[in-house]
Amino acid sequence: MASRQAPLCGLAPCCLWLLGIVLLMDASARPANHSSARERAGNREENEILPPDHLNGVKLEMDGHLNKDFHQEVFLGKDMDDFEEDAEPRKSRRKLMVIFSKVDLNTDRRISAKEMQNWIMQKTAEHFQEAVAESRAHFRAVDPDGDGHVSWDEYKVKFLATKGHNEREVAEKIKNKWDLNIDEETQEVLENLKDRWYQADNPPPDLLLTESEFLSFLHPEHSRGMLQFMVKEIIRDLDQDGDKKLSLSEFISLPVGTVENQQGQDVDDGWVRDRKREFEELIDANHDGIVTMAELEDYMDPMNEFSALNEAKQMIAIADENQNHYLEPEEVLKYSEFFTGSKLVDYARSVHEEF
């Protein structure tokens, strides 16, 4: 009898394991509200010449999701990698306090909204410099003849090569205007890229991009015209009634997908809560319940000083436990997860160690 029951008992862990897999699949059925730069890092190499979905220091992703890492990007800048989850906490606390002292320009051991605004603008400028260097390298990769211009056909050859097509064969087919014989999904991506290429091509349009135009193609935050194009694309995707504006209900509307377990419900609740706060406190500047293209553009412009000041006030408010409208060392350490993405323990004791 015992020998008959043994296989049945062995099924229990297996069933639990399968149930766990199903629950995880359900929870991931709908995209998360936020998008993490660290999560995307591994996917970047093979598509280097593609415009990135994620733009450092920009509040929204290309798909309209909130940038999960935004606060860390504008507070840590190029030091983000120093605060990985497996970093030694004591060293991380010290680094965080070094950053605090740099933001605290008047050395009064507290950070004002104006000081935080200046710091945000400084860190954003760093991200801009990184984007320029990255774009310059990618431009050389797609400009094989080195004439300082990249044609749409040259770019298309390089793009299809990243998709596994033979570069020489593609170039020959394009030259002779033969059918490229590509799948429907790749064709759709190409059409979207061509629309973006046209937008980045300054008048008079010739479908030849200079190095600066190619930067705008990859990083729309560097160009007013391309930033407007990005805003139009996001509004087009979220606008349900076709009025080219966004209501609160449209902005917080959940993506397609049904999640039936509690973990999925928590994701949904977080999506609505975070987007509602962002809409009401930062995007809808005149608080009339409607976001226009101009308001969304101002919100997404990383070099908008007024938006940087609003962001600075919000960042301070989140950690300002004594409600004095300043950030103090204890508060920054206690809310280290918000500022660095990592939770640094023993914050009260460490503040005395570092100061």
Side-chain angles (χ1 to χ4, degrees):
M1 191 71 172
S3 62
R4 287 174 177 264
Q5 289 178 343
L8 293 175
C9 293
L11 287 175
C14 182
C15 292
L16 289 173
W17 178 80
L18 287 172
L19 178 60
I21 294 296
V22 170
L23 291 174
L24 284 173
M25 290 175 66
D26 282 344
S28 61
R30 178 178 294 126
N33 181 32
H34 300 293
S35 182
S36 169
R38 290 168 181 163
E39 293 166 1
R40 290 182 297 270
N43 301 326
R44 190 74 185 99
E45 277 186 27
E46 63 184 50
N47 292 322
E48 282 185 340
I49 65 169
L50 274 174
D53 291 328
H54 175 77
L55 303 170
N56 286 339
V58 179
K59 293 285 303 208
L60 291 183
E61 309 289 7
M62 295 295 293
D63 59 7
H65 286 206
L66 297 179
N67 175 5
K68 178 181 179 180
D69 295 321
F70 177 78
H71 296 112
Q72 289 98 56
E73 288 167 359
V74 297
F75 188 73
L76 302 177
K78 292 185 289 187
D79 294 325
M80 277 188 70
D81 292 341
D82 293 339
F83 291 87
E84 296 291 348
E85 289 184 5
D86 57 352
E88 204 281 309
R90 185 182 178 87
K91 290 182 180 179
S92 295
R93 288 194 297 268
R94 286 180 176 175
K95 289 176 182 176
L96 183 56
M97 288 298 94
V98 168
I99 293 174
F100 181 97
S101 65
K102 291 179 180 178
V103 185
D104 179 23
L105 292 176
N106 63 3
T107 66
D108 63 352
R109 295 193 64 207
R110 59 183 192 174
I111 295 173
S112 67
K114 187 64 178 177
E115 287 173 326
M116 182 67 84
Q117 177 198 27
N118 292 336
W119 183 255
I120 289 173
M121 298 297 291
Q122 183 179 329
K123 296 295 108 178
T124 300
E126 284 183 9
H127 291 306
F128 266 47
Q129 293 164 6
E130 288 178 343
V132 170
E134 175 189 276
S135 175
R136 185 176 295 123
H138 297 164
F139 183 80
R140 287 196 292 266
V142 297
D143 181 25
D145 54 17
D147 64 353
H149 295 82
V150 176
S151 70
W152 168 246
D153 285 345
E154 285 176 328
Y155 178 81
K156 186 160 59 173
V157 168
K158 295 293 184 180
F159 167 75
L160 290 175
T162 68
K163 295 294 184 181
H165 294 265
N166 182 281
E167 192 169 324
R168 289 186 178 180
E169 289 181 4
V170 171
E172 186 68 18
K173 287 179 180 180
I174 290 176
K175 180 180 178 181
N176 294 296
K177 298 183 179 179
W178 295 340
D179 184 13
L180 293 176
N181 195 26
I182 57 180
D183 61 81
E184 186 176 336
E185 182 180 349
T186 301
Q187 183 61 44
E188 184 178 350
V189 172
L190 268 176
E191 290 172 0
N192 290 334
L193 286 172
K194 191 171 184 178
D195 287 342
R196 187 165 175 154
W197 192 274
Y198 270 108
Q199 292 295 324
D201 186 15
N202 292 327
D206 54 9
L207 286 185
L208 295 172
L209 297 192
T210 63
E211 188 172 312
S212 62
E213 289 171 336
F214 189 72
L215 171 63
S216 297
F217 171 73
L218 290 182
H219 290 274
E221 75 274 22
H222 285 253
S223 160
R224 175 61 59 182
M226 285 300 290
L227 185 64
Q228 291 171 347
F229 174 72
M230 182 178 172
V231 166
K232 287 178 182 177
E233 292 287 290
I234 290 175
I235 287 184
R236 183 197 65 185
D237 291 343
L238 300 179
D239 179 20
Q240 297 172 9
D241 59 12
D243 65 354
K244 298 182 180 179
K245 300 175 184 177
L246 293 180
S247 64
L248 175 60
S249 62
E250 288 172 329
F251 190 72
I252 68 174
S253 179
L254 291 165
V256 176
T258 300
V259 180
E260 298 178 352
N261 57 58
Q262 185 58 48
Q263 184 180 355
Q265 186 61 52
D266 291 342
V267 170
D268 289 353
D269 293 345
W271 171 284
V272 172
R273 181 184 63 251
D274 293 348
R275 292 179 76 86
K276 184 175 186 293
R277 181 176 62 238
E278 203 74 10
F279 184 99
E280 294 177 340
E281 296 181 9
L282 293 174
I283 310 178
D284 182 16
N286 61 2
H287 304 292
D288 65 350
I290 296 293
V291 165
T292 64
M293 285 192 182
E295 286 176 319
L296 189 58
E297 183 183 338
D298 286 341
Y299 164 79
M300 291 187 62
D301 181 1
M303 298 307 292
N304 184 315
E305 293 187 7
F306 181 73
S307 293
L309 180 59
N310 283 339
E311 195 62 47
K313 291 177 180 177
Q314 187 192 57
M315 290 172 71
I316 289 174
I318 285 173
D320 183 20
E321 288 200 333
N322 62 11
Q323 299 294 301
N324 67 349
H325 306 293
Y326 290 88
L327 274 184
E328 297 171 359
E330 295 91 342
E331 293 168 334
V332 171
L333 285 166
K334 183 172 183 178
Y335 288 84
S336 60
E337 193 167 6
F338 173 76
F339 292 104
T340 70
S342 300
K343 193 167 185 177
L344 310 179
V345 296
D346 297 331
Y347 66 90
R349 185 182 67 187
S350 65
V351 73
H352 298 294
E353 294 175 354
E354 308 302 339
F355 281 85

